[in-house]
Amino acid sequence: SAVISQKPSRDICQRGTSLTIQCQVDSQVTMMFWYRQQPGQSLTLIATANQGSEATYESGFVIDKFPISRPNLTFSTLTVSNMSPEDSSIYLCSASSTRGRMNTEAFFGQGTRLTVV
Amino acid sequence: KQEVTQIPAALSVPEGENLVLNCSFTDSAIYNLQWFRQDPGKGLTSLLLIQSSQREQTSGRLNASLDKSSGRSTLYIAASQPGDSATYLCAVRPGGGSNYKLTFGKGTLLTVNP
């Protein structure tokens, strides 16, 4: 298994500002992802964080709004830029590893609850 | 496009009752299916992972089954406790080996009353 530390756990931000969320995994992992969970909704994948290269974004999400870094196999950051109240959500970091053909279990951090006012 | 549906959306039971949560998916070409628990405002805790070749997995009072051909999974919780109250999410990973993106259902909100 993997333990994922995510911070901050929550924040209240002014519109127009940016927030960077950090994700640290306690072991080297192959894949890291960032998800958004809007109030009352399920999880939506924002992007796959690629080590040493640009993240791969899902439809509807762009790098200018959600820049992502992944400098090594255990750490990633997500920035929510130029925030508006519509960005109020829980943001979740996820990690997964491959071990041969089996065991691609996904693990999640505790989430960052963001409120934009 | 894969779609995952969870029924019921909410469930309230008295303590001690056995219960079943349902998850269905439209594309049976999955690599695995995972059940999670989410407490309010928190992240996800992995409960059980079932590979596509498996029929069920057990952990303590939890048992998850998978019928890949019919696109269904169930999570059975025995002797429910108030501490089991949470939202339960199922997620599927597509087959093909190189795609690790999960598709989630909307979850079942479980309340276990003392």
Side-chain angles (χ1 to χ4, degrees), chain A residues 38-115:
Chain A
Q38 295 178 302
Q41 301 297 313
S42 191
L43 280 73
T44 301
L45 180 64
I46 297 172
T48 302
N50 300 310
Q51 185 206 355
S53 65
E54 191 171 289
T56 305
Y57 290 85
E58 297 299 302
S59 175
F61 297 95
V62 295
I63 187 171
D64 290 345
K65 177 67 175 176
F66 298 103
I68 289 170
S69 77
R70 189 180 173 192
N72 56 49
L73 288 174
T74 64
F75 185 78
S76 179
T77 67
L78 167 74
T79 299
V80 185
S81 302
N82 188 25
M83 289 183 284
S84 67
E86 292 71 33
D87 295 320
S88 298
S89 296
I90 298 174
Y91 292 85
L92 294 137
C93 171
S94 175
S96 183
S97 279
T98 56
R99 293 178 201 164
R101 296 176 57 249
M102 304 296 289
N103 196 356
T104 57
E105 187 170 2
F107 298 94
F108 282 79
Q110 285 302 295
T112 296
R113 174 171 261 185
L114 171 62
T115 302

Side-chain angles (χ1 to χ4, degrees), chain B residues 66-113:
Chain B
L66 175 64
D67 184 343
K68 192 176 119 172
S69 61
S70 68
R72 296 173 190 266
S73 176
T74 62
L75 179 67
Y76 175 83
I77 302 177
S80 58
Q81 304 171 357
D84 295 330
S85 298
T87 296
Y88 290 81
L89 295 157
C90 76
V92 297
R93 172 164 281 134
S98 62
N99 189 342
Y100 297 95
K101 302 174 188 176
L102 296 177
T103 300
F104 282 85
K106 291 186 176 180
T108 294
L109 175 61
L110 173 65
T111 302
V112 181
N113 301 300

